[in-house]
Amino acid sequence: MQDAWQLRTMNWGQGTGFSNVLELTSSQMAEQQPKSWIRRRIENGLRRGFQHAYETVKVDPNKFLLQLRAAYGVPINSFQGIYSVDVGLLDDLANRVIHSGMKLAAAEGAGFGLGGILTMVPDLSILAGITLRTIQKLSLIYGFEYNTDEETAELWIAAASAAGVDISREVLEKEVVNRFVPKVIQRIAVQASREAVEKWSGRVIPIASSAIGAGLNYYFVRAWGERAKAHFRLKHLDLRRRRIAGEPALPLVVNPARPSS
């Protein structure tokens, strides 16, 4: 009787594909475990990197203004003069800044990529710094400084927008900047790790990890740079239009969410 029951159970499993489902489920669970571990490393690396960048990495607006004048020939004496510069020139400068960040990130990724998965966290930390400096330069190119708490918060809202994170104005208005920014960084790290886990898992391949690291960093900065550029460009055009029309400027910090459908 027991043998017959085992035979019927085996036949039922084979006939319905139940055994295949069990195998697939086991396979998926086995795959999800290392991915979850990699995602945690990516999230922690980006969070630490952006937090460190927030505390230590800052493009000096005055030095960057001199660079715009001397190296790029932009005829301005202050960032308020940006609004009289042709938008096409600003877009060209923004593209140069993004491209420069991409090349720097690729070189850094190639070097750290040699260590494979072991050097992922320091690689991501440096990548976060490169990305933030790129966003800071884009902010200045389109006429937005970050000297006050409000301007600093706006910079991080732009970073969140580049990461695809929606930060509502209501959240900002209830927080001071030194509590607001860490919360934004955490949300950026969570979102970015969710999107990058599949790609960065390729870093476990020792031989190809250098090339993979260079490519991933290159396209990471390009994607974030393009989104941040679009964010600042839209705000710049709106403020320029208001100035021409003689309308009062809106508060600096606004909801950076993508337009709702």
Side-chain angles (χ1 to χ4, degrees):
M1 178 66 69
Q2 185 177 2
D3 292 340
W5 168 253
Q6 290 176 344
L7 180 60
R8 285 197 300 270
T9 303
M10 181 180 64
N11 290 338
W12 177 81
Q14 292 175 344
T16 60
F18 182 69
S19 59
N20 292 335
V21 172
L22 289 177
E23 292 177 1
L24 180 60
T25 302
S26 299
S27 176
Q28 289 175 336
M29 290 177 63
E31 292 177 359
Q32 287 301 321
Q33 187 61 33
K35 287 181 181 178
S36 177
W37 176 76
I38 291 174
R39 178 174 173 181
R40 287 197 300 271
R41 289 184 67 87
I42 294 174
E43 182 177 324
N44 289 336
L46 288 173
R47 178 176 52 78
R48 293 175 185 175
F50 278 116
Q51 184 66 42
H52 179 72
Y54 166 57
E55 297 169 352
T56 61
V57 177
K58 183 177 180 180
V59 175
D60 187 309
N62 294 325
K63 291 183 179 180
F64 191 68
L65 178 63
L66 293 176
Q67 182 181 352
L68 289 177
R69 294 171 56 186
Y72 300 110
V74 182
I76 57 174
N77 294 318
S78 70
F79 286 103
Q80 292 301 312
I82 286 289
Y83 295 93
S84 63
V85 178
D86 181 71
V87 176
L89 175 58
L90 300 182
D91 292 342
D92 180 63
L93 293 175
N95 291 335
R96 293 189 189 184
V97 164
I98 294 172
H99 188 66
S100 176
M102 290 162 56
K103 292 194 297 184
L104 182 60
E108 181 269 327
F112 274 92
L114 292 172
I117 198 71
L118 297 178
T119 54
M120 177 179 289
V121 171
D123 174 27
L124 291 174
S125 297
I126 296 175
L127 176 62
I130 294 172
T131 303
L132 183 60
R133 285 183 62 86
T134 300
I135 293 174
Q136 289 174 338
K137 291 178 181 179
L138 292 172
S139 177
L140 294 172
I141 285 174
Y142 287 103
F144 301 106
E145 298 180 72
Y146 34 83
N147 296 320
T148 67
D149 283 353
E150 187 182 28
E151 291 169 342
T152 299
E154 168 61 23
L155 180 71
W156 282 98
I157 287 178
S161 179
V165 177
D166 175 10
I167 304 296
S168 67
R169 181 179 179 183
E170 290 72 20
V171 172
L172 175 63
E173 290 177 338
K174 296 178 182 178
E175 298 284 353
V176 295
V177 69
N178 62 351
R179 291 203 302 265
F180 171 71
V181 172
K183 290 183 179 180
V184 176
I185 290 174
Q186 179 61 33
R187 293 186 61 181
I188 289 174
V190 170
Q191 176 67 19
S193 65
R194 183 183 298 120
E195 295 181 353
V197 63
E198 292 289 346
K199 299 175 182 177
W200 255 280
S201 62
R203 287 283 299 270
V204 301
I205 307 173
I207 298 178
S209 62
S210 179
I212 292 173
L216 289 174
N217 287 12
Y218 182 89
Y219 289 107
F220 183 92
V221 173
R222 186 179 76 169
W224 282 50
E226 290 294 338
R227 293 175 196 159
K229 172 190 171 185
H231 175 91
F232 289 123
R233 189 179 192 275
L234 183 62
K235 290 176 64 62
H236 173 90
L237 292 176
D238 180 68
L239 186 54
R240 179 178 287 217
R241 178 187 63 79
R242 289 177 175 276
R243 289 189 173 197
I244 294 175
E247 299 176 8
L250 292 174
L252 179 61
V253 178
V254 295
N255 187 353
R258 299 170 183 172
S260 58
S261 55

